Amino acid sequence: MEQALDITLTVNGVEVSRRVAARTHLVDFLREELDLTGTHAGCEQGVCGACTVRVNGDIVRGCLMLAVQADGCRVDTVEGLSDSKELAALQQAFHEKNALQCGFCTPGMLMAAQDLIKQKRPFTREQIRAHLSGNYCRCTGYQAIVDAIEEVLDGQG
Amino acid sequence: MKPRSLDEALEVLERHGEGARVLAGGQSLIPSLNMRLSSPELLVDISSIGSLKGITLDQDVVRIGALVTHAELERSAEIARHVPLLAEAVRHVAHPAIRNRGTLGGSLALADPAAEYPACALALEATIFISGKRGERGVKAAHFFKGLFETDLKPGEIVTAVEVPAQLDGERSVFLELARRQGDYAIVGLAAFRGAETRFAFFNVGPKPVLAKNAALKKSLAEAKEALKADLLVTGDLYTDAATKQHLAGVLLERAWNKLSTSH
């Protein structure tokens, strides 16, 4: 497991090549090697969802994937989706609805929520909750988060 | 190590013996590495082996590649139509971000007592295909699951695919699970099938999924619930004691019985 491997991947639209230890997790690679610290490492066992990122368009746990497994993949983080304005409506709604307090879970929440919003169809509150069931928030009690997501979904008409 | 073909993967596994572990979606193996519960010398990433992917229907048999992810099962029109039990079950498997990576083969090979697919395989009398250096063999689910995280897989072998009979007209299936929160591990679950015979496969009631054979033979719900007590040798876990699980298994049996008995 001490072996190092060369990987090349596209992170937020930019191609990066690095030599990484086989044991390095994707989330640690993003945070420590690329200084993309928006993605948070929480429980490191796949439960809390703070490390949610997109790999080839699908949301995944950054702590349950090794960086070497992302070789050749397209990875998008909360920084990339913020810069591209894809998250703008959701971020505005989170702000207005008080959908965060400490903010630790927020990047993961935004990534998971945007996964619903980009499907461009309506979802019930129950479906929103089911989709966010893998993202823990210890501050808000979730109501405001679901409110914010619902508002963005409604705004899409 | 990332082999490109099954032969290459089997070669590597043989060369490295017990020190090597097969990595598919990694949604159970990587947490166990993170928690230092497992420390293999080598990970064999089988994710680029094309022959382990895809879902095909051939003459009333659905063949599902071991690398098919939960998300792919969830989206598959073939699965929704021909294996509705799996389509129902997948909605209980963890959360979307995990379903995008975790695989059917990985779940079966791990044989977690709280996992959904082993019980489905048992209820559907699925055949699990396994490859090793000495060739391929098919094992019925009833013989594949041996105990707690224990299967018929021998060192150096890989699960390659699963075959399940397509559900025919007039056959029914229902999947039920009780969990504290959406996506949590089951407290108790049930994969039920009714065709020429009835099969109730309960999970997380003991070290491996169990067919409630006597309950399945009964004509009335009351008799079946009574028979269930002897069918299941329920063991409790950290959160739920045996008596509660036994009661909840009865609750699920009743719900499944009613669903299987009413027309859609």
Side-chain angles (χ1 to χ4, degrees):
Chain A
M1 286 289 281
E2 296 309 319
Q3 199 187 347
L5 294 153
D6 293 316
I7 59 169
T8 299
L9 61 165
T10 304
V11 180
N12 297 330
V14 180
E15 191 177 287
V16 293
S17 295
R18 290 286 193 284
R19 171 159 290 203
V20 294
R23 61 184 302 132
T24 307
H25 293 92
L26 180 59
V27 62
D28 295 328
F29 173 75
L30 294 169
R31 290 177 57 84
E32 288 163 22
E33 190 66 40
L34 303 183
D35 285 331
L36 293 169
T37 53
T39 306
H40 292 165
C43 70
E44 298 186 76
Q45 49 179 290
V47 175
C48 78
C51 62
T52 307
V53 294
R54 264 189 208 164
V55 173
N56 292 339
D58 293 325
I59 53 168
V60 305
R61 297 279 201 246
C63 75
L64 295 191
M65 193 168 167
L66 300 172
V68 292
Q69 290 178 288
D71 185 28
C73 293
R74 185 163 44 83
V75 176
D76 295 291
T77 70
V78 71
E79 289 92 344
L81 299 196
S82 295
D83 290 348
S84 71
K85 305 278 187 276
E86 185 182 335
L87 291 174
L90 201 52
Q91 285 165 328
Q92 183 68 24
F94 265 59
H95 175 66
E96 283 167 8
K97 298 281 181 191
N98 251 342
L100 67 154
Q101 186 178 315
C102 86
F104 188 85
C105 72
T106 312
M109 282 289 175
L110 292 171
M111 296 301 284
Q114 186 60 22
D115 192 54
L116 275 187
I117 289 163
K118 75 183 171 83
Q119 294 178 37
K120 304 264 181 229
R121 59 188 176 94
F123 290 96
T124 63
R125 284 183 79 85
E126 201 179 333
Q127 287 169 321
I128 296 170
R129 282 185 172 275
H131 201 76
L132 293 183
S133 62
N135 291 73
Y136 284 7
C137 172
R138 305 280 84 150
C139 303
T140 65
Y142 303 99
Q143 291 289 348
I145 294 173
V146 179
D147 289 348
I149 296 165
E150 204 175 28
E151 184 174 88
V152 177
L153 287 167
D154 287 348
Q156 289 182 331
Chain B
M1 175 97 40
K2 196 168 184 178
R4 297 280 153 185
S5 71
L6 185 58
D7 286 341
E8 197 189 327
L10 295 173
E11 192 74 43
V12 170
L13 286 176
E14 187 178 66
R15 203 163 57 231
H16 292 271
E18 304 253 331
R21 287 291 300 271
V22 173
L23 174 65
Q27 302 303 284
S28 298
L29 178 55
I30 294 185
S32 90
L33 300 180
N34 293 359
M35 291 186 267
R36 310 298 192 265
L37 294 173
S38 173
S39 48
E41 291 157 24
L42 180 74
L43 292 176
V44 183
D45 179 356
I46 59 169
S47 63
S48 5
I49 303 175
S51 62
L52 306 184
K53 297 178 185 177
I55 300 168
T56 50
L57 173 70
D58 185 19
Q59 299 196 344
D60 293 339
V61 174
V62 181
R63 185 177 173 97
I64 311 168
L67 284 178
V68 168
T69 63
H70 311 305
E72 285 166 345
L73 287 174
E74 201 175 2
R75 285 193 297 259
S76 162
E78 266 102 7
I79 295 298
R81 182 152 173 227
H82 301 292
V83 201
L85 183 69
L86 268 186
E88 267 188 89
V90 70
R91 293 199 285 270
H92 296 271
V93 178
H95 314 286
I98 289 171
R99 295 206 286 266
N100 282 332
R101 301 269 319 153
T103 67
L104 175 70
S107 172
L108 294 171
L110 181 67
D112 189 312
E116 289 80 4
Y117 298 149
C120 291
L122 210 52
L124 297 172
E125 291 197 332
T127 304
I128 293 149
F129 288 89
I130 297 167
S131 278
K133 284 294 281 178
R134 264 156 290 162
E136 188 183 55
R137 61 195 179 100
V139 183
K140 284 276 177 205
H143 303 294
F144 182 78
F145 301 105
K146 301 278 193 195
L148 188 70
F149 295 105
E150 192 189 340
T151 68
D152 193 44
L153 273 175
K154 309 279 187 296
E157 288 187 323
I158 295 178
V159 172
T160 53
V162 181
E163 281 188 3
V164 290
Q167 187 166 311
L168 305 173
D169 286 345
E171 292 181 339
R172 300 258 180 79
S173 59
V174 56
F175 186 91
L176 299 168
E177 177 174 320
L178 295 169
R180 280 196 168 70
R181 291 163 296 241
Q182 164 75 37
D184 274 14
Y185 284 111
I187 300 168
V188 178
L190 168 60
F193 171 85
R194 181 165 284 169
E197 60 175 54
T198 300
R199 293 186 286 270
F200 295 114
F202 283 88
F203 62 99
N204 215 23
V205 290
K208 61 173 189 170
V210 194
L211 281 176
K213 290 186 176 158
N214 292 306
L217 296 173
K218 301 298 178 194
K219 293 278 175 275
S220 77
L221 174 61
E223 288 174 303
K225 283 183 86 166
E226 190 55 38
L228 189 63
K229 290 176 190 160
D231 274 334
L232 306 179
L233 292 169
V234 178
T235 48
D237 59 31
L238 214 52
Y239 305 105
T240 314
D241 65 24
T244 307
K245 284 197 180 204
Q246 180 74 52
H247 170 75
L248 295 175
V251 169
L252 291 188
L253 179 67
E254 182 164 345
R255 289 182 190 171
W257 189 282
N258 292 334
K259 279 199 166 182
L260 292 171
S261 308
T262 51
S263 58
H264 289 291

